[in-house]
Amino acid sequence: APTLFETMNPATGAHLATYAVDDEAAVEATLDSAADRFDAWCDRPIAEREALLEDVATVLRDGKDDYAALITDEVGKPLDQSRAEVEKCAWVCEYYAERAAGQLQDERLDGAPGTKTYVSYEPLGPVLAIMPWNYPFWQVFRFAAPHLTAGNVGLLKHAPNTLGCAQAIVSIFREAGYPEGVFSSLQIPTDRVADVIADDRVAAVTLTGSTRAGRAVAAESGEALKKTVLELGGSDPFVVLDDAPVETVAEQAVTARTQNAGQSCIAAKRFVVHEAVYDEFLDAVTQRMESLTVGDPTAEATDLGPLARADILEQLDEQVRASVDAGATVVTGGEPMSREGHYYPPTILTDVPDGCPAAEEELFGPVATVTAVPDESTAVRVANDTDFGLGASVWTADAARGEALVPEIDAGNVFVNQVVQSDPRLPFSGIKDSGYGTELSKHGIREFTNAKTVWVE
Ligand code: NDP
């Protein structure tokens, strides 16, 4: 088995760093340290854990430029987007630093039996967090901020191409004053994750990543009867009704599709457009996609950097080729750029036939499909015609009309006249192949707690 992980800069192909694969003894030591730390950590008053989390926000802001540079080096995200990612991590820390105690306070049950009955929210123990590379800081802080503050301890299994970010995040918690063992990173390949899931010292598991990885982790966790939260992929519809202000909506559509070079679970991936505005919308979107600046992610003018890895580019290329072979039309883009780095241009596909990858699968890159529909009910049918159910947006001049469609749409998050986004204040979850369980808000922080029922007679 390989003993080293190597990270590469996706914009240049340059070698960045090597990281030793943890041997068995190292994994044992990390699991012991997490399990040993848990009791003392969860016994501390939550106000102390909140104060530490507030300090994490400060460490993040103080080091913002360095962390952003690291993110950009490892995944090729334009620097301003990397800085925004670090800012958002500081925000989620501040959010829970202010609210965790209130969100987890004992809940008295009105009208319940006994002298005193209530629910208390108690942490579960070490939680394994298997995280992806696309938002290598945010995905981790979105997990760690609530769950460490709830009294759990965290074990991060980060993606192999973002191990520099993993180590930086471990250091951030130490710098903020977290005791050793509260948050650690495991540098292990995928085929050694099942043993960690099965280990008695691990209480629960969360994964953000592909549906394939989610199925495997859910099966392994199910075997061990461990709670899981799974945030998997998406193929979000972006529904444009006939009264929508086309120019402004087209601008939002392009932002929603191309943020992070399209490598986002909640990127709008399928534009479903009323035929009355279809031509105008397609023109507006095409023009905007073609005017984006693709290139060096460290240059301030860049809108789109490279895709994060060669295999991500290859998969996208194969999906687009297979869709074109099946009859889809390329309006713009459509093949990898012939330059150094894993660059794929903003791309629009129309006439996408049922059953081809662009219709069925998640396209993790800047490729949008545009489909005309004759009416709202067809729009809803097309929007729901996917195995995924993460986000969806509806665009219209009449917000009430948009809201009326919300109950018809099968997704965990439906936004009207707003780009689907995660926000510490809002619960975030998927249905169908997008996974289950909730992150963020007061709902998210309770996911890895035991809602203990207490009856005092
Ligand atoms: P993966 O789901 O394979 O990777 C995400 C994380 O899960 C990584 O840390 C990975 O580690 C780990 N992992 C993968 N398989 C298993 C397993 N069987 N058991 C335990 N851990 C596992 O995504 P990829 O990076 O390969 O990307 C492939 C596709 O997944 C993308 O094109 C996109 O469609 C989707 N995706 C969705 C994301 C989202 O935000 N929802 C994020 C990333 C990807 P390792 O790499 O070592 O296998």
Side-chain angles (χ1 to χ4, degrees), residues 130-134 139 157-160 188-190 193 197 207-210 212-213 216-217 220 231-234 264-265 309 311-312 315 362 364:
I130 304 165
M131 291 294 151
W133 44 267
N134 60 341
Q139 307 279 28
K157 201 311 263 170
H158 217 327
I188 53 170
T190 298
V193 173
I197 294 174
L207 173 131
T208 300
S210 62
R212 174 185 50 78
V217 165
E220 290 155 5
E231 201 271 88
L232 310 178
S264 168
C265 49
R309 291 195 313 242
D311 63 297
I312 301 294
Q315 179 180 324
E362 175 168 39
F364 224 55

Side-chain angles (χ1 to χ4, degrees), residues 121-125 127-128 143 147 150-152 203-207 226-230 438-439 443-451:
Y121 294 95
E122 299 181 359
L124 298 181
V127 182
L128 173 66
F143 155 76
H147 300 304
N152 296 295
V205 184
T206 182
L207 173 131
K226 287 176 187 170
K227 167 98 186 251
T228 49
V229 168
L230 302 175
T438 303
E439 298 188 285
H443 300 280
I445 197 173
R446 293 178 175 177
E447 282 284 20
F448 294 118
T449 60
N450 167 21

Side-chain angles (χ1 to χ4, degrees), residues 43-394:
D43 282 347
R44 277 174 93 151
I46 191 166
E48 288 182 25
R49 294 196 300 266
E50 288 181 331
L52 283 165
L53 191 63
E54 187 78 51
D55 292 343
V56 173
T58 307
V59 175
L60 280 164
R61 290 223 167 86
D62 288 349
K64 181 162 92 177
D65 288 341
D66 289 342
Y67 301 133
L70 174 61
I71 293 171
T72 293
D73 274 353
E74 287 196 329
V75 300
K77 185 178 310 216
L79 262 181
D80 60 337
Q81 294 182 35
S82 296
R83 284 189 211 105
E85 181 172 340
V86 178
E87 267 300 325
K88 193 165 174 181
C89 295
W91 179 25
V92 78
C93 291
E94 281 164 353
Y95 172 83
Y96 281 112
E98 282 163 25
R99 290 173 187 78
Q103 292 169 336
L104 295 175
Q105 74 191 9
D106 292 350
E107 228 172 73
R108 292 295 289 264
L109 304 170
D110 290 342
T115 313
K116 200 175 164 193
T117 33
Y118 58 95
V119 176
S120 74
Y121 294 95
E122 299 181 359
L124 298 181
V127 182
L128 173 66
I130 304 165
M131 291 294 151
W133 44 267
N134 60 341
Y135 292 87
F137 265 56
W138 167 247
Q139 307 279 28
V140 177
F141 281 93
R142 180 173 71 167
F143 155 76
H147 300 304
L148 300 187
T149 313
N152 296 295
V153 302
L155 293 162
L156 171 65
K157 201 311 263 170
H158 217 327
N161 52 319
T162 51
L163 289 177
C165 288
Q167 290 198 350
I169 295 167
V170 170
S171 301
I172 288 166
F173 282 105
R174 293 311 303 278
E175 198 177 326
Y178 282 64
E180 196 181 343
V182 174
F183 185 83
S184 343
S185 161
L186 293 165
Q187 291 181 179
I188 53 170
T190 298
D191 62 8
R192 287 174 56 203
V193 173
D195 286 345
V196 177
I197 294 174
D199 193 285
D200 286 344
R201 287 163 290 189
V202 170
V205 184
T206 182
L207 173 131
T208 300
S210 62
T211 301
R212 174 185 50 78
R215 279 186 214 286
V217 165
E220 290 155 5
S221 304
E223 184 61 34
L225 279 181
K226 287 176 187 170
K227 167 98 186 251
T228 49
V229 168
L230 302 175
E231 201 271 88
L232 310 178
S235 186
D236 288 8
F238 182 106
V239 178
V240 184
L241 302 186
D242 54 0
D243 63 352
V246 171
E247 284 295 327
T248 49
V249 172
E251 195 176 328
Q252 302 277 15
V254 170
T255 305
R257 176 61 285 203
T258 59
Q259 55 184 324
N260 201 23
Q263 302 161 115
S264 168
C265 49
I266 44 167
K269 291 171 186 143
R270 296 175 298 129
F271 301 156
V272 181
V273 186
H274 193 284
E275 62 191 15
V277 291
Y278 176 84
D279 289 338
E280 195 189 342
F281 179 83
L282 182 59
D283 284 350
V285 165
T286 305
Q287 196 202 327
R288 284 187 161 79
M289 289 286 249
E290 288 175 345
S291 68
L292 293 172
T293 305
V294 183
D296 177 2
T298 64
E300 293 296 335
T302 296
D303 298 308
L304 263 82
L307 301 182
R309 291 195 313 242
D311 63 297
I312 301 294
L313 175 70
E314 279 156 25
Q315 179 180 324
L316 185 67
D317 185 30
E318 276 168 27
Q319 288 170 311
V320 171
R321 279 174 199 278
S323 303
V324 171
D325 287 348
T329 303
V330 176
V331 177
T332 187
E335 47 187 78
M337 295 167 76
S338 52
R339 55 171 290 171
E340 182 180 71
H342 312 311
Y343 286 95
Y344 200 92
T347 294
I348 296 175
L349 302 177
T350 56
D351 312 309
V352 174
D354 287 348
C356 75
E360 301 286 315
E361 300 171 7
E362 175 168 39
L363 299 180
F364 224 55
V367 180
T369 66
V370 192
T371 305
V373 289
D375 51 40
E376 279 180 26
S377 64
T378 312
V380 167
R381 188 180 55 71
V382 172
N384 290 338
D385 188 13
T386 168
D387 291 337
F388 295 103
L390 195 55
S393 60
V394 180

